[in-house]
Amino acid sequence: MTASPAAALTARAQEVSSEIVTDILTLVRHETSSYDLAGLAAGLDLLRELAVHRLGRPDHEQRYPGGECGDTLTLTYTGTGTGAGHVALVGHYDTVWPTGTLAGWEQPEASDDGRDKLSGPGIFDMKTGLAQGIWALKLARECGAPLPTVTFLFNGDEEIGSLSSRPVIEEVAQKADVTLVLEPSAHGAVKTARKGSGIFRVTATGVAAHAGLAPEDGASAITALSEFVVAAAAVAAPERGTTVNTGLIKGGSATNVVAGQATASVDIRVSSEAEQARVDAEFDAIKVSDPRIRIEIDHAWNRPPMTLNAASAPLLDLAREVAREQGRDDLPDAAVGGASDANFVAALGLPVLCGMGAVGDGAHARGEFIYPGTVPAQTALVAGLLGRLAQPLRG
């Protein structure tokens, strides 16, 4: 009895699972901190080489200089279908981990539920998704069915806000019929809603003075900024989905000088535009006790909130249909607190699903990991979707 196309695809993904994992580990072993331009450049070269090795030379490619950020690369492979379908596969190759982290990283033991883990800086967020995306197109090709044109977009600045790559992401998404973002899943669920995010820079300017001879002449920017940070934390409203985290503080010039200037970078997550407006107003209303201090706030909202829009709902239905054909009982979707490049696509009203990548846990935490046993199913899911998107998705 001949296996169904879905069964044959999942079986093939299982057969090549070790090769996919090898490619994942190849990417992980090259560190790509968001702030290491040399490491990012070499990492993007490695990623391109991997894509070409598995898929051949693209029909079109373009590398967009990132300036102070990692470059963005697009690789387009022309489809074989007649329906002119076009799918964008989006993923970032930068990680939050400083260069040198890998040397001290310990591999975990088998997990409590008996499933082995693989760990490494960036393996979950999101180098597994990158390798799975490449292999998904390779496996879809092997099936012989008509395929859409596929454009891979690899950016090197997602973890710091996609400041350079956002225009490219939006341009690619607008040219495609569907965007699949290869970020890690939510324990196997695709991500259909994400919080919006802002990275506010708060600057306190005070009066520098000798800390021993004339401390009363000084107005400490550090003290004032500390007051501000405590007040800012109180703006959070977790019950409404709003969080506030001051992640970086810099200031002062020497221990024996009353600090004349200090800055803080504040990460803000919101679930609605109404909360975004409230946060703006309440930050502007914060006062510090020393009137000599000047507080300036750069309200840098980075990503808008993402919800399951009308354009994306049919795509979610199709993903669930493909999952059922491949033997999955259910493909849940989830709302999560983190933001991603999918937020930009959803804000344009375009069809997008996020969380199409790894199954594991620990994003941005030491010891982040994947379950390698889930790699074939996740790869097959994306491959199966590609096979169903040779023609544009109709809502």
Side-chain angles (χ1 to χ4, degrees):
M1 183 175 179
T2 303
S4 68
L9 176 59
T10 54
R12 179 60 178 153
Q14 189 65 51
E15 288 175 3
V16 298
S17 177
S18 62
E19 294 181 70
I20 305 174
V21 170
T22 295
D23 287 351
I24 292 168
L25 294 177
T26 295
L27 295 177
V28 171
R29 289 179 183 126
H30 184 93
E31 294 178 280
T32 48
S33 164
S34 301
Y35 298 102
D36 180 355
L37 290 181
L40 288 167
L44 184 54
D45 288 342
L46 176 64
L47 182 55
R48 181 193 176 279
E49 289 171 8
L50 178 60
V52 171
H53 174 62
R54 297 301 183 188
L55 300 171
R57 295 184 67 86
D59 296 295
H60 178 77
E61 69 176 284
Q62 188 166 353
R63 188 160 179 155
Y64 301 82
E68 296 181 357
C69 304
D71 292 349
T72 298
L73 177 69
T74 58
L75 306 175
T76 297
Y77 293 88
T78 302
T80 57
T82 58
H86 190 171
V87 177
L89 295 180
V90 176
H92 67 88
Y93 61 94
D94 65 317
T95 77
V96 299
W97 300 104
T99 301
T101 300
L102 184 62
W105 197 280
E106 294 183 5
Q107 286 291 327
E109 302 296 328
S111 58
D112 293 339
D113 59 9
R115 293 190 291 176
D116 288 339
K117 297 177 181 178
L118 280 177
S119 183
I123 194 169
F124 180 59
D125 187 12
M126 57 160 287
K127 293 186 175 182
T128 291
L130 300 177
Q132 288 178 172
I134 291 168
W135 272 91
L137 179 54
K138 178 177 173 62
L139 295 179
R141 282 177 170 178
E142 291 180 3
C143 292
L147 289 175
T149 292
V150 174
T151 295
F152 290 92
L153 186 151
F154 303 128
N155 59 321
D157 61 349
E158 192 274 346
E159 295 292 7
I160 54 175
S162 300
L163 304 177
S164 170
S165 61
R166 178 176 181 174
V168 185
I169 294 165
E170 293 176 335
E171 178 184 357
V172 168
Q174 287 171 323
K175 291 179 179 178
D177 300 301
V178 161
T179 298
L180 303 177
V181 180
L182 302 167
E183 288 274 1
S185 70
H187 304 287
V190 297
K191 298 172 180 177
T192 54
R194 286 179 171 275
K195 291 184 180 180
S197 64
I199 304 173
F200 286 17
R201 180 179 175 88
V202 182
T203 302
T205 302
V207 180
H210 195 293
L213 295 177
E216 67 281 357
D217 292 343
S220 174
I222 289 177
T223 299
L225 188 61
S226 299
E227 293 177 16
F228 187 98
V229 164
V230 171
V235 175
E239 72 281 1
R240 284 179 262 178
T242 300
T243 59
V244 177
N245 176 69
T246 301
L248 291 171
I249 290 182
K250 298 178 181 179
S253 57
T255 56
N256 62 346
V257 177
V258 176
Q261 190 170 73
T263 61
S265 294
V266 186
D267 179 288
I268 303 166
R269 309 291 171 123
V270 296
S271 297
S272 68
E273 293 182 0
E275 274 298 280
Q276 181 174 316
R278 182 186 69 83
V279 168
D280 279 332
E282 295 198 16
F283 263 61
D284 285 339
I286 294 174
K287 305 297 183 184
V288 296
S289 59
D290 193 327
R292 295 174 293 173
I293 302 292
R294 184 174 76 254
I295 299 290
E296 298 171 284
I297 307 169
D298 178 12
H299 294 250
W301 288 105
N302 178 241
R303 292 183 173 93
M306 171 186 172
T307 59
L308 181 62
N309 59 29
S312 298
L315 180 58
L316 176 60
D317 291 341
L318 181 61
R320 285 174 167 160
E321 184 178 328
V322 170
R324 286 192 295 271
E325 291 172 352
Q326 294 180 351
R328 293 197 192 189
D329 294 332
D330 183 37
L331 180 65
D333 67 307
V336 297
S340 83
D341 290 329
N343 292 57
F344 299 137
V345 182
L348 295 172
L350 301 172
V352 59
L353 285 182
C354 194
M356 304 301 296
V359 179
D361 209 347
H364 298 192
R366 193 166 187 98
E368 67 173 284
F369 67 90
I370 65 164
Y371 294 113
T374 64
V375 165
Q378 291 297 101
T379 307
L381 175 61
V382 177
L385 265 172
L386 293 178
R388 297 291 294 276
L389 290 167
Q391 295 184 347
L393 181 71
R394 303 299 181 188

